[in-house]
Amino acid sequence: MATSPPAEGKPWALAAHPRLAKGTVVGVVVLDGWGEAPPDPFNCIHAADTPTLDALKKAAPARWRLIKAHGTAVGLPTDDDMGNSEVGHNALGAGQIYAQGAKLVDLALASGKIYDGEGFKYIRQSFDDGTLHLIGLLSDGGVHSRFDQLQLLLKGASEHGAKRIRVHVLTDGRDVLDGSSVRFVEMLEEDLGRLRDKGVDARVASGGGRMYVTMDRYENDWQVVKRGWDAHVLGEAPHKFKNALEAVKKLREDPKANDQYLPPFVIVDENGKPVGPIQDGDAVVTFNFRADRMVMLAKALEYEDFGKFDRVRVPKIRYAGMLQYDGELKLPSHYLVAPPEIERTSGEYLARNGVRTYACSETVKFGHVTFFWNGNRSGYFNPSLEKYEEIPSDIGIPFNVQPKMKALEIAHKARDAILSRKFDQVRVNIANGDMVGHTGDIEATIVGCKAADEAVKIILDAIEQVGGIFVLTADHGNAEDMAKRDKSGKPLLDKDGKVQTLTSHTLNPVPIAIGGPGLAPGVRFRTDLPNAGLANVAATVMNLHGFQAPDHYEPTLIEVVDK
C-alpha cells in the first residue's frame, strides 16, 4: 500500500501502448452505489428494469467482471470496512492505494503521533483556560467516524492537559442501525463518567441527527448547518435536557423518529443554562475523518467573511479538523492528522499528455468526479484541456421523492460532449443508486436504478456514434442490497415482522465493463488478477487512451490477445 507519492522528478510523459491506438474517445461512467449481489426482492438493481446494464453483463468474463471497492482495496484498515464515494473515487483516479481516512487516524492514534503534531499543539494552547469541544458523528459505521477513535481521543486529550471537555454528538442511523444512538450515548456517558472520576469536567453538551443537524454537504442546505451552529456554538435548541441519554430516548419516543433526523438539542444544568456553548478561547475539533459532511461546518467555524447564515456570535477559537477536509481550500487550516499525499493522479498524467477531459455530475456527486478523482485537489490541471460541469441537484426535495435525480440531464451533457469530439475522455457519475438507496425506500430506489440504466444507454449510444470506447464501473455497493441480514444472509425482521431496511453502503464487489466500437478486437480482461480493485481502473483507462500506465500504478485489468 502506498503511503507516500513516488519520487519527485519522475517524467510525466507516458509511453505509447504497443497495441492500442491513441485518439479514441473514452467514456468513463461511474454508477454510484451500484454493487453486485444475488437476486432477491431487496436487490433493487435486479428488481429494476435495466436492459442496457443487463446486456453488458453478458460479455463476461472477457469484457465484464467484478472488482473490489471496500476495505484494503481502497486503503481502509480491514475488509470489514465499507467503501464510500470519497475513497472510491480517490482510488479510481489515483491508480494507487493510499492509506485513507480511518486508517490514517488509526495509525496516528496508535503511535501517539497525533499528540506531537502541529494541529494538536495548536488546540492544546486552549487547554489551560478554555474548553475542548469535540463535534462529530457518534457511530462505529466507519464511513464518517468511528466511536473507538473518539474514545481514544478523549483519553489522549485528557492525558495531555484537557481539563474541560464537551462533546457535541450527531446521531447516525444511516451507516449503522437506526436506534443504535441510545447504545452509543450510553457508552459515551460511561467514558465521560470515568474522566470525571479523574477530575476532568467532561460532558455531552448538544446533539441532533446527522441529516438534520450540522452534517450537510456540497452547500445543499445551509439551514442544516445553522441548526448545528445554534446548538453547538450558541447553546440554543428547541429541546433541552439534563443529559444526553434522556435527550435521545425522549426524542425517539416520537413515532416518526429516526436517528438520522433527530432534532437539535442542548444539555442544560439545574438552572436551565446550557452546559457547553463554545466561547472565546475554546478549542474545537471536528472528529469525523471523512471530509464531505464536515466542510460546511468547517467554513462556518473558520471563515471570518461568512454570509451563508447569521452566526449571531462568532467566538474566537482554535479549531482543527481530524483531517484537512479540502486540500485546495486549505480547510481547515489546522488538522490533527495529515491527509494522504495523493500525487501523480491519472487526471494529471493525462492532462500533461494532452488528453482533453470533460467531467460532469450533479451537485451531490460533482466533487467525486473532480476533486476526489484528482487526489483531493480542486480546480483544473490544465484549463485549456479540461471542462468540469456541475448540474444542480434538487434542493429541499428528498431523493426518494425525485428518484430519477439528474441522471438524464447528466447523460445528455455527456452525450453532447462526446458528439462534439472536443474531448478525449468524458467522465460522469450517476448518483441514483447511492443517494436514493440511502433513503431506504425500495420502490424509489428501483425507479432510480431504471433511470440510471436509461442514462447509461444515452451515453453508450453516443460512444457508438463516434466509434469510441466505454468503461463502466461503480465506486461501492448500496442499491444491490437494501435488507439488513443475519450471518446466514437471511433478512432481519423488526418487532412487527417487517424486513429491516438497510440504508448503508455494502461490502459487495462492483462491476466493471468495457466495450464500444473503438475497442480493439483482442482486448479482454486479464484472468490473473482475481483480487483487483478500484485502483486498477486508472491504468486500464490509460491503456484505452493509448498509453502505458506508470510503473508505480496498480496493474491494468486488460490485455490484448491475438484473435
Side-chain angles (χ1 to χ4, degrees):
M1 179 182 297
T3 56
S4 60
E8 288 302 316
K10 279 198 174 193
W12 284 99
L14 294 171
H17 194 282
R19 305 286 299 274
L20 300 175
K22 297 177 185 175
T24 306
V25 177
V26 179
V28 180
V29 180
V30 180
L31 295 172
D32 215 289
W34 198 281
E36 182 73 10
D40 75 6
F42 308 102
N43 181 338
C44 294
I45 296 170
H46 170 72
D49 182 19
T50 55
T52 303
L53 292 160
D54 291 346
L56 295 184
K57 191 181 295 190
K58 294 176 182 177
R63 294 187 172 182
W64 185 99
R65 63 162 290 176
L66 298 175
I67 53 176
K68 293 184 176 181
H70 72 287
T72 56
V74 291
L76 296 170
T78 75
D79 284 339
D80 292 326
D81 293 311
M82 292 180 288
N84 61 61
S85 299
E86 289 68 43
V87 302
H89 283 77
N90 274 171
L92 285 166
Q96 306 152 80
I97 302 171
Y98 284 84
Q100 284 283 0
K103 188 163 185 64
L104 286 174
V105 177
D106 285 341
L107 293 170
L109 286 167
S111 66
K113 288 182 179 178
I114 193 169
Y115 306 112
D116 298 325
E118 293 303 314
F120 191 82
K121 289 177 181 176
Y122 173 67
I123 63 165
R124 190 174 181 174
Q125 297 173 66
S126 293
F127 288 1
D128 285 345
D129 302 312
T131 300
L132 170 62
H133 298 266
L134 304 176
I135 305 173
L137 187 67
L138 195 65
S139 171
D140 64 1
V143 177
H144 292 270
S145 66
R146 279 219 325 268
F147 183 70
D148 62 320
Q149 292 179 350
L150 171 60
Q151 291 177 303
L152 288 171
L153 188 58
L154 282 165
K155 181 176 182 289
S158 64
E159 290 172 351
H160 286 82
K163 302 170 184 174
R164 192 170 189 268
I165 301 174
R166 294 292 181 267
V167 186
H168 305 263
V169 300
L170 301 167
T171 54
D172 192 351
R174 187 180 177 100
D175 301 321
V176 295
L177 293 174
D178 181 41
S180 60
S181 58
V182 175
R183 177 172 60 90
F184 286 120
V185 169
E186 286 175 336
M187 292 191 294
L188 177 60
E189 290 286 18
E190 290 174 4
D191 289 336
L192 297 178
R194 283 190 282 270
L195 289 179
R196 289 194 295 272
D197 292 341
K198 295 178 180 178
V200 179
D201 178 4
R203 297 191 63 178
V204 174
S206 70
R210 58 176 283 178
M211 297 300 288
Y212 191 67
V213 180
T214 304
M215 279 177 59
D216 192 44
R217 66 177 174 186
Y218 305 139
E219 304 201 8
N220 194 49
D221 186 355
W222 276 101
Q223 288 303 303
V224 172
V225 184
K226 184 181 188 303
R227 293 182 199 108
W229 182 274
D230 291 350
H232 313 324
V233 179
L234 305 182
E236 298 175 0
H239 301 277
K240 298 177 174 61
F241 299 95
K242 292 293 177 63
N243 63 71
L245 191 57
E246 176 195 4
V248 173
K249 286 183 174 179
K250 194 72 177 175
L251 293 173
R252 282 193 56 81
E253 288 178 0
D254 185 321
K256 297 180 181 178
N258 180 292
D259 283 350
Q260 295 188 56
Y261 292 94
L262 291 185
F265 62 85
V266 295
I267 306 305
V268 297
D269 61 18
E270 59 275 6
N271 298 315
K273 289 186 176 183
V275 302
I278 298 174
Q279 307 285 7
D280 287 351
D282 286 352
V284 177
V285 170
T286 45
F287 61 81
N288 285 18
F289 48 72
R290 178 165 153 178
D292 58 343
R293 294 190 181 274
M294 285 286 104
V295 167
M296 293 168 71
L297 176 61
K299 289 179 177 179
L301 289 168
E302 185 146 311
Y303 287 175
E304 286 186 27
D305 183 13
F306 179 87
K308 300 299 183 180
F309 58 82
D310 183 3
R311 292 181 289 186
V312 181
R313 177 175 62 82
V314 185
K316 296 176 181 177
I317 60 172
R318 293 182 176 91
Y319 165 53
M322 181 67 90
L323 295 161
Q324 186 169 66
Y325 299 130
D326 189 323
E328 188 72 13
L329 296 175
K330 309 297 185 205
L331 184 74
S333 55
H334 298 276
Y335 43 89
L336 302 188
V337 180
E341 295 180 4
I342 300 178
E343 301 282 349
R344 293 179 172 261
T345 62
S346 62
E348 186 166 8
Y349 266 112
L350 293 174
R352 286 174 178 261
N353 283 270
V355 173
R356 302 164 300 170
T357 298
Y358 174 85
C360 177
S361 190
E362 60 178 285
T363 304
V364 292
K365 297 294 179 178
F366 176 68
H368 295 82
V369 288
T370 55
F371 176 82
F372 292 109
W373 190 280
N374 290 335
N376 305 332
R377 181 189 187 279
S378 297
Y380 296 114
F381 294 112
N382 185 337
S384 68
L385 294 176
E386 297 170 277
K387 180 179 180 180
Y388 299 162
E389 195 159 5
E390 176 183 349
I391 297 173
S393 292
D394 294 317
I395 296 176
I397 304 171
F399 295 114
N400 59 323
V401 175
Q402 292 274 38
K404 294 183 179 181
M405 299 182 64
K406 302 299 178 185
L408 296 182
E409 290 91 331
I410 294 166
H412 291 147
K413 290 285 188 182
R415 174 198 63 196
D416 294 347
I418 291 165
L419 297 181
S420 76
R421 300 178 187 265
K422 294 178 181 178
F423 302 100
D424 304 299
Q425 182 181 117
V426 175
R427 183 172 72 239
V428 300
N429 176 297
I430 297 173
N432 307 62
D434 193 46
M435 300 309 297
V436 188
H438 276 313
T439 69
D441 187 327
I442 290 175
E443 291 304 317
T445 305
I446 292 171
V447 172
C449 291
K450 183 176 188 294
D453 188 82
E454 292 168 353
V456 169
K457 184 178 191 307
I458 291 168
I459 296 169
L460 298 197
D461 284 350
I463 288 291
E464 189 76 23
Q465 288 184 55
V466 300
I469 298 169
F470 67 80
V471 179
L472 181 140
T473 190
D475 57 347
H476 57 75
N478 186 331
E480 80 285 359
D481 191 5
M482 296 187 62
K484 294 170 185 171
R485 300 177 186 274
D486 62 21
K487 291 182 179 180
S488 71
K490 293 181 180 177
L492 292 170
L493 305 180
D494 62 18
K495 60 179 183 296
D496 298 321
K498 295 180 180 178
V499 171
Q500 295 184 38
T501 304
L502 183 71
T503 58
S504 70
H505 299 164
T506 71
L507 300 174
N508 291 320
V510 300
I512 180 168
I514 54 174
L519 189 63
V523 174
R524 68 180 186 189
F525 284 129
R526 295 163 57 176
T527 58
D528 60 340
L529 295 170
N531 295 313
L534 297 184
N536 297 84
V537 173
T540 308
V541 172
M542 284 179 165
N543 289 172
L544 297 174
H545 278 294
F547 297 104
Q548 294 185 55
D551 58 11
H552 60 273
Y553 268 34
E554 293 294 309
T556 181
L557 294 168
I558 59 172
E559 60 185 359
V560 186
V561 297
D562 294 321
K563 282 288 185 178

